Amino acid sequence: MPPHRSHLPVFIRSGQLAATITRSIKMKFTFFILFGIITTSQALNILGIFPYQGKSHFIVFKVYLQELANRGHNVTVISHFPEKDAPNNYKDISLAKSASPIEDSVPVERSYLTILGMLYYLTDTGIENCEAMLANQEVQRLIKEKTKFDVVVLEQFNSDCALGIAYKLGAPVVGTVAHILMPWHYQRLGIPYNPAYVPFHFLEGGTKPSLYQRVERTLFDIGFRSLYYLRTQRSNEITLAKYFDDIPPLETLAREIKFLLVSHNFMLTGSRLFPANVIEVGGYHVSKAKQLPADLEKFIQSSEHGVIYISFGSVVKSSSMSETQIQAILGAMAKLPQKFIWKWESDTLVADKNKLYVAKWLPQVDILAHRKTLAFMSHAGMGGTTEAIHYGVPMVAMPIMGDQPANAASIEESGLGVQLQVTELTKENLLAAFKKVLDPEFRENVNRLSKAWHERPLSPLDTAVFWTEFAAKHSKFTFRTAAADVPFYQYINLDVYTILTLIAMLPVIAVWILCCRTKKVVDAKNIKKN
Ligand SMILES: *[C@@H]1O[C@H](CO)[C@@H](O)[C@H](O)[C@H]1NC(C)=O
């Protein structure tokens, strides 16, 4: 018999039942109040530092920062994108007027020249954004008033300037990346960058590069990192030194980052070698699909064979394509029974309205979520790519810049789509690519991948919040791998191999000495005899 039942008659006999119930209600009430206090006392003071003006990056971070505010934390965000209807616990420090948006006319082509152009752009903005941020009055006040923050979350991209601010505020740092790692991120986290199997941000080849591609990515890796350390990081240090005289080298601060949240997931990028403090949170920004605008819904519904969606994202404009490229796409369209939706940024495209729906802005997630959307032709940006996986839409990936070549390789390797290099964009090639991803079997496999993508022990957004709170609560510890602290010559075991080589050479040396000496002695004797 359960013990509480034996007590019941006692209560009834002594007439205390009513009193017990009141007491129990009171206890519950106290519990709720206490619980409330505990939850509020756990509210953290969080500073977000996002000095880069790329909208495609902030679209991702915004979801994370808003979620931190939703959880009751006090969130202050330095960025180019102030919130319009921010809640009370979300405060903006706007840099919006301090930088021009990314060039509108990114050419739809890829060559060594465009990669170098990109590198130049990354270096320049990394320098300028640091100067603009430190010159901002509100940022200066934050530092001067020694505002206490429990954790600083900041973008790891083309500058480490924000690490200087986090250092001044004495707060632990959580880094976040809206794409795959930049070449200078590997070393600070102790992650091996091995060109034999680690895809390089800006180049083709994925995880199975040819010898040519391995030489290519090794050279580019050295070039990118040298410029970053010697120009961007050095300039950032000089800029910081104008305001503060006690900031350690930025590369030293970079190694103090507690966690790095990356837009990866192994279902897309394959298993990568990451230490425990690099956390995969890919896809957390993808929102629930909403109802499409009426005319778009009608257009999609009217398609007997489904629709194909084309967009090259917020930076690359379809309308800046060459005439040949446009004709290749229109030519492939004409050969397929599907209807098309194309994000096109000017009023110049003349097309059959029954076959092709054109708009300057399109609700991408809602289109991808539509069951009649059969394929997505894109530039393979990480944002759109994860949205397509989320909704199980096969991709034709035509990378243009940044991490897109590496993403496109991942898309093909994982079976989520096929890649088509922009230099190989012809009507025939595009048609073949579309036919491949429209195949029902291919689609079925993408569906399976999408299902696996969604199954995680903790949702990616919860994961991002969890480790951010963890870093704030346990800031006394470091979670970096020992690999990040080992000097480079030890990391590649240069000293060990040198000694082993010498030991291996010992017999050779010994033989050489013996033989020559003997010969000399013999020679000397011979000379004496003569
Ligand atoms: C929230 O952050 C701001 C800094 O932006 C700070 O001034 C304020 O005191 C913080 N509020 C709480 C409740 O910690």
Side-chain angles (χ1 to χ4, degrees):
M1 194 194 274
H4 67 271
R5 274 188 66 187
S6 65
H7 286 289
L8 200 56
V10 181
F11 289 138
I12 293 169
R13 261 204 310 272
S14 55
Q16 284 176 341
L17 185 60
T20 312
I21 292 172
T22 324
R23 202 162 58 224
S24 142
I25 289 172
K26 265 190 191 158
M27 266 171 67
K28 269 194 185 136
F29 195 59
T30 325
F31 173 76
F32 275 122
I33 290 177
L34 265 180
F35 184 73
I37 290 170
I38 289 167
T39 355
T40 16
S41 76
Q42 279 176 342
L44 302 168
N45 210 16
I46 300 176
L47 175 66
I49 314 183
F50 296 87
Y52 175 64
Q53 66 269 43
K55 194 173 163 202
S56 61
H57 292 195
F58 201 77
I59 286 174
V60 176
F61 302 138
K62 180 183 155 131
V63 176
Y64 161 61
L65 295 166
Q66 280 177 343
E67 183 61 18
L68 287 170
N70 287 346
R71 306 277 174 116
H73 300 310
N74 182 35
V75 182
T76 307
V77 179
I78 304 173
S79 82
H80 297 263
F81 308 93
E83 281 294 313
K84 286 195 186 73
D85 316 296
N88 279 340
N89 57 336
Y90 188 107
K91 189 175 167 292
D92 274 304
I93 294 180
S94 173
L95 303 172
K97 292 197 181 64
S98 71
S100 49
I102 306 179
E103 280 304 322
D104 273 350
S105 54
V106 175
V108 185
E109 59 178 51
R110 214 154 51 75
S111 65
Y112 286 149
L113 211 62
T114 60
I115 298 179
L116 292 177
M118 182 81 199
L119 178 56
Y120 182 74
Y121 170 81
L122 288 178
T123 324
D124 268 11
T125 47
I127 291 171
E128 289 160 12
N129 291 342
C130 180
E131 289 165 355
M133 176 162 66
L134 289 172
N136 184 293
Q137 296 293 319
E138 279 185 86
V139 173
Q140 286 180 8
R141 190 165 61 228
L142 215 57
I143 301 170
K144 210 173 287 161
E145 286 172 359
K146 296 200 162 52
T147 318
K148 193 189 163 321
F149 287 101
D150 300 296
V151 60
V152 170
V153 297
L154 45 78
E155 174 167 21
Q156 281 278 280
F157 182 48
N158 63 344
S159 163
D160 284 314
C161 185
L163 290 172
I165 298 179
Y167 175 80
K168 286 309 289 182
L169 294 166
V173 172
V174 171
T176 150
V177 180
H179 34 75
I180 63 170
L181 299 181
M182 301 297 285
W184 42 88
H185 290 157
Y186 290 83
Q187 209 172 358
R188 63 181 55 174
L189 292 154
I191 304 171
Y193 178 74
N194 186 334
Y197 59 84
V198 182
F200 188 73
H201 215 97
F202 306 83
L203 296 167
E204 293 167 35
T207 62
K208 293 170 191 67
S210 63
L211 175 61
Y212 177 82
Q213 286 168 331
R214 277 181 285 147
V215 173
E216 186 186 43
R217 56 174 69 169
T218 304
L219 290 176
F220 270 95
D221 180 51
I222 293 172
F224 267 72
R225 284 194 293 130
S226 306
L227 210 64
Y228 185 73
Y229 297 132
L230 298 176
R231 186 146 181 260
T232 314
Q233 215 174 46
R234 194 72 206 104
S235 163
N236 287 170
E237 281 167 353
I238 293 169
T239 310
L240 281 160
K242 278 188 207 152
Y243 296 87
F244 320 104
D245 52 14
D246 60 343
I247 305 218
L250 288 174
E251 199 55 25
T252 309
L253 294 182
R255 290 194 307 114
E256 296 296 329
I257 290 176
K258 301 288 176 192
F259 292 99
L260 186 71
L261 310 173
V262 290
S263 283
H264 277 249
N265 179 278
F266 58 84
M267 289 309 298
L268 167 67
T269 44
S271 265
R272 299 276 170 99
L273 292 176
F274 287 154
N277 64 341
V278 174
I279 314 282
E280 297 195 331
V281 292
Y284 72 57
H285 76 286
V286 188
S287 55
K288 263 215 173 82
K290 293 180 297 296
Q291 184 67 40
L292 286 166
D295 63 329
L296 193 51
E297 178 67 39
K298 200 168 140 221
F299 176 83
I300 298 182
Q301 286 301 352
S302 74
S303 65
E304 198 185 326
H305 302 279
V307 298
I308 294 173
Y309 169 55
I310 305 177
S311 166
F312 298 106
S314 54
V315 177
V316 177
K317 302 241 179 299
S318 303
S319 47
S320 52
M321 282 185 158
S322 73
E323 192 53 34
T324 337
Q325 290 172 324
I326 296 168
Q327 286 313 323
I329 295 180
L330 290 177
M333 270 183 199
K335 292 265 182 230
L336 288 166
Q338 279 76 24
K339 292 195 176 193
F340 284 79
I341 301 170
W342 194 351
K343 180 175 173 285
W344 186 274
E345 300 79 9
S346 72
D347 303 313
T348 52
L349 195 67
V350 187
D352 174 8
K353 286 204 164 53
N354 240 329
K355 173 83 174 171
L356 174 61
Y357 185 103
V358 180
K360 288 177 192 167
W361 181 88
L362 285 159
Q364 176 154 301
V365 164
D366 310 335
I367 294 174
L368 291 173
H370 201 288
R371 66 180 179 85
K372 284 200 138 180
T373 305
L374 300 184
F376 177 26
M377 181 186 187
S378 87
H379 61 312
M382 194 53 113
T385 299
T386 47
E387 286 160 13
I389 306 166
H390 191 103
Y391 290 108
V393 182
M395 279 170 273
V396 171
M398 191 174 78
I400 314 283
M401 57 175 195
D403 60 339
Q404 297 157 12
N407 298 345
S410 293
I411 288 170
E412 188 163 275
E413 286 177 18
S414 60
L416 289 156
V418 294
Q419 49 175 340
L420 175 64
Q421 302 309 337
V422 67
T423 44
E424 287 156 22
L425 173 63
T426 61
K427 183 177 107 183
E428 291 71 29
N429 288 346
L430 182 56
L431 198 60
F434 276 139
K435 285 202 169 137
K436 196 164 171 196
V437 300
L438 286 169
D439 178 77
E441 230 170 90
F442 195 96
R443 235 188 120 57
E444 188 43 42
N445 191 45
V446 172
N447 259 326
R448 278 195 290 268
L449 287 163
S450 178
K451 281 210 183 84
W453 168 267
H454 285 283
E455 278 189 37
R456 306 189 200 179
L458 196 61
S459 85
L461 192 53
D462 286 340
T463 309
V465 171
F466 178 89
W467 291 108
T468 309
E469 292 172 346
F470 187 97
K473 283 189 262 180
H474 307 291
S475 61
K476 289 285 167 284
F477 304 110
T478 176
F479 314 105
R480 73 167 170 270
T481 159
D485 295 329
V486 174
F488 184 69
Y489 75 91
Q490 283 185 28
Y491 189 85
I492 59 167
N493 286 309
L494 202 58
D495 47 354
V496 176
Y497 290 126
T498 311
I499 288 174
L500 290 187
T501 313
L502 286 177
I503 293 175
M505 279 165 62
L506 270 184
V508 182
I509 296 169
V511 167
W512 180 74
I513 291 174
L514 276 177
C515 128
C516 290
R517 271 201 147 180
T518 331
K519 196 163 174 266
K520 264 186 199 157
V521 174
V522 174
D523 285 351
K525 275 184 185 163
N526 286 345
I527 290 166
K528 257 190 190 168
K529 266 188 193 164
N530 295 338

